[in-house]
Amino acid sequence: MRSGGQALPTRRRSGGRGARDEDAAVLRGAAAARSAAGALLVRQLLASVGIVKPDTSHLIVRPVQPGDQNAPPRDHVILGEIARRKAWKVEYDEALLAAGPQAWKEHSAIKQSAA
């Protein structure tokens, strides 16, 4: 029950795999929306301090085919991704510092409630 005595809406499910697949699809959609919103906030913060990232929406990423001789070793891919994420984090932190305390409030993952 919600505060105030209102019951939460429920839906009947027949059970089985179809219902679980539907729930999983809804959760994936919600996660994608949160991810897109978070990415937008980060791009706005970086742009506010003069950092503009190149547009990569035109790139196509495909899994490596088994036996591809041009594919880098998995260890290299993993370590490269770790280094890239660390560099992104440093860049984000520097942008927050450059933008000042107001940006910390605007771009915080935890929104302060109005008192």
Side-chain angles (χ1 to χ4, degrees):
M1 292 191 94
R2 293 182 182 167
S3 61
Q6 296 175 346
L8 292 172
T10 60
R11 67 179 173 136
R12 294 186 182 265
R13 289 195 271 181
S14 61
R17 182 177 178 153
R20 286 191 306 262
D21 289 346
E22 181 181 318
D23 289 344
V26 169
L27 289 175
R28 280 193 304 272
R34 281 193 307 277
S35 178
L40 178 62
L41 283 175
V42 170
R43 279 195 298 274
Q44 289 173 345
L45 173 65
L46 293 175
S48 72
V49 296
I51 301 172
V52 180
K53 302 306 257 175
D55 178 26
T56 58
S57 63
H58 63 282
L59 298 177
I60 299 172
V61 179
R62 295 189 180 118
V64 175
Q65 297 299 318
D68 185 351
Q69 297 297 320
N70 295 320
R74 185 170 186 190
D75 296 348
H76 292 196
V77 173
I78 292 170
L79 291 173
E81 196 57 34
I82 291 169
R84 192 171 310 125
R85 287 176 187 238
K86 283 187 174 191
W88 288 342
K89 175 69 172 139
V90 168
E91 187 175 52
Y92 177 74
D93 290 343
E94 288 175 351
L96 270 180
L97 288 173
Q102 184 60 30
W104 303 340
K105 292 177 187 174
E106 291 175 10
H107 296 280
S108 172
I110 303 171
K111 299 294 181 189
Q112 299 295 328
S113 61

